[in-house]
Each structure stands twice: as structure tokens, then as C-alpha cells.
Amino acid sequence: MKKFLVMMMAVLIFLAACGQSDQSSDSSKSEDKVLTVGTEGTYSPFTFHDKNDKLTGFDVEVTEAVAKKMGYKVKFVETQWDSMFAGLNSGRFTTVANQVGINDERKQKYQFSKPYTYTNAVLVTRKNSDIKSFDDVKGKKLAQTLTSNYGKLAKDKGAQITQVEGFNQSMELVLSNRVEGTFNEKLSVLDYTKQKKNADIKVIEGDAEKSQSAFVFTKKTDKALIDKVNKAIDELQKDGELKKISEKWFGEDVTQP
């Protein structure tokens, strides 16, 4: 009887150990399914804190939708833009969701997912302006930051530049009739018109400064993970979820070319 009890105790201990091992394995698997994402948290309307101090924005909602489609949880790590790539390189987070533009220089150092944002330069003028295209700005006063691509675009088109510090100052000068217009990035303008629906402006589309934004990964990141992100983006585009998120923030779909 004693031998039998000893054997039973040994079996129970073994089964308990196996159970703990299985639980540990399941827990590990659960912990592995967390997508850690770097983002600013101060860049409205893409990634910022609302009046209740909740992190929100276009990029935040896209990331949450992608992670959910993948079967992952998402953990955001708020980081200043100047140190964002350093954080990615050091492994503080797996990817970045912060309107990171795809360009040749970055492609040499990093891997990118499929784009989830497509944008380009637009020209903003007052509604009664006789400017109808990008080429009509020759000799006109435009409010631009000197070092931006949009300032260069204005110069290339023959405009006279009135220097400003940023987009909001440009819009003030346009509306106060001190300049004829301003070149800027479409998403910023869409956000502005969404917030100020009665602003006396018109937006002129062109074919300059096209850009795409995506999730960015280091070269060491397993391609299988990036494939999962790409699959999720494809599915979210097909089922209309990305369009829904975009229309909420910008009033139109900027997730398709």
C-alpha cells in the first residue's frame, strides 16, 4: 500500500508539472502576441491624446485594427520623433506608426509594410482667387516654410515666398488676404477643413510631392511578421475598415492610391 501511495504521488506531481509547463507555454505564446509600437502621441490628428488623455488618432486606430486582425494585442510606446528610429534600432519597439514616409534612403536601412496612407501636395487659396492650378502661382505671394519640400515647390513654380514657421501661420496669411495661397501636405489640409468647415478657402489638387506612409521595421525583423501585417492591411482594405477609419479622421479615403 505504501509503495502504491508513493507511486500515485509521483504520478500526480508529474501531471502537475506538465500542467504548469503547458500553462507556462500558453502564457508565453500569449505574451509573444503583442505588437509593440513606437508613436509620438503629440502629432494630431495621427497620434495624440484626446480631452480624456486617451491616446488616439488615425495612425493609432489603424494600428489597433491591424493588430486585432492579426490576433495580436498592441502596446504603444510614446517617443519623441527625434529619437524614434533610435528606439526602433535598439528594440524598444518592433515597429513605428507615425506617418513614416517610404523613401529610398530609409529603404536601404529598414523594411516597410504595405502603405496605409497615400498623400500629396495641394495648393490652398481663397475661394475667390483666380488661381486654378499649380502653374498659376507664378509671380504670386505664397506663405511657405523655406526649408520644406513645399517651399521648394513654390520656388520652382516661380512664386514669391513669404516665410512662415508652419502650416497654421500660412493659413492665417491666406485668410487675411496677405498672401495668395500656400502649398502644403494634403492630410494636414483635410484635417484643417474638417475642423473649420466654413473657412473661406479652396483646395487645388496637383501631381507633386506624392508620398506613402507605412509601418517600418528593422532589417533584422522576421519577414513572417511583416507578412502578417501586410495580410491584415489587405483584409482591412477589402472589408472597408481602413476606409471607415480614414473617413472618420479626414472626410475621405486616404488609404488607397
Side-chain angles (χ1 to χ4, degrees):
M1 178 64 71
K2 288 182 179 180
K3 287 183 178 180
F4 177 75
L5 289 174
V6 170
M7 288 177 65
M8 286 296 296
M9 287 293 293
V11 169
L12 289 172
I13 291 170
F14 174 77
L15 291 174
C18 288
Q20 288 178 353
S21 176
D22 289 342
Q23 288 176 1
S24 175
S25 176
D26 290 342
S27 174
S28 175
K29 288 179 181 177
S30 175
E31 287 175 5
D32 286 343
K33 288 197 171 186
V34 175
L35 190 65
T36 308
V37 183
T39 196
E40 280 183 273
T42 56
Y43 183 25
S44 177
F46 306 104
T47 160
F48 67 103
H49 286 259
D50 64 16
K51 61 184 180 181
N52 297 318
D53 202 31
K54 179 186 175 183
L55 182 66
T56 188
F58 173 71
D59 284 58
V60 171
E61 289 197 7
V62 168
T63 304
E64 290 172 338
V66 168
K68 183 178 179 181
K69 187 70 75 171
M70 293 169 61
Y72 279 57
K73 294 180 180 179
V74 60
K75 176 184 177 183
F76 290 103
V77 180
E78 294 182 47
T79 306
Q80 292 182 350
W81 175 253
D82 289 345
S83 56
M84 194 70 71
F85 284 94
L88 181 64
N89 295 338
S90 67
R92 284 188 63 216
F93 28 83
T94 304
T95 187
V96 174
N98 208 95
Q99 284 299 295
V100 180
I102 303 172
N103 59 41
D104 290 339
E105 182 181 355
R106 286 176 180 159
K107 284 165 73 174
Q108 291 178 5
K109 300 177 182 177
Y110 300 97
Q111 300 182 82
F112 286 89
S113 71
K114 291 186 174 182
Y116 61 84
T117 311
Y118 296 82
T119 188
N120 54 273
V122 294
L123 175 62
V124 183
T125 68
R126 291 180 302 281
K127 286 181 180 178
N128 64 356
S129 172
D130 60 358
I131 296 175
K132 297 180 180 180
S133 73
F134 283 17
D135 293 328
D136 291 340
V137 303
K138 186 175 182 179
K140 306 283 190 180
K141 282 186 178 180
L142 298 188
Q144 307 290 162
T145 53
L146 292 183
T147 58
S148 71
N149 290 347
Y150 306 108
K152 184 178 183 300
L153 176 61
K155 287 181 181 178
D156 291 344
K157 292 293 183 181
Q160 298 178 31
I161 307 299
T162 297
Q163 184 177 1
V164 293
E165 293 181 358
F167 175 70
N168 288 334
Q169 189 181 2
S170 295
M171 294 306 301
E172 289 174 6
L173 295 184
V174 171
L175 291 170
S176 63
N177 203 23
R178 284 181 280 175
V179 297
E180 289 288 332
T182 181
F183 282 114
N184 216 287
E185 192 265 329
K186 183 178 180 178
L187 296 183
S188 297
V189 175
L190 287 175
D191 180 54
Y192 182 89
T193 56
K194 185 173 181 290
Q195 302 299 328
K196 301 186 178 183
K197 296 179 180 178
N198 297 320
D200 184 31
I201 59 172
K202 65 180 178 181
V203 180
I204 300 169
E205 295 273 356
D207 195 30
E209 294 298 320
K210 289 187 174 182
S211 64
Q212 302 172 0
S213 297
F215 297 103
V216 57
F217 303 82
T218 66
K219 289 287 190 181
K220 295 179 181 179
T221 303
D222 187 350
K223 191 175 182 299
L225 176 64
I226 302 174
D227 288 341
K228 287 181 181 179
V229 171
N230 287 337
K231 183 181 178 183
I233 291 172
D234 283 341
E235 291 176 356
L236 290 166
Q237 285 181 330
K238 287 177 183 176
D239 65 23
E241 183 64 21
L242 283 187
K243 179 182 179 182
K244 182 179 177 182
I245 294 171
S246 178
E247 288 179 341
K248 170 185 173 180
W249 289 101
F250 303 112
E252 65 178 73
D253 188 8
V254 300
T255 67
Q256 298 277 3

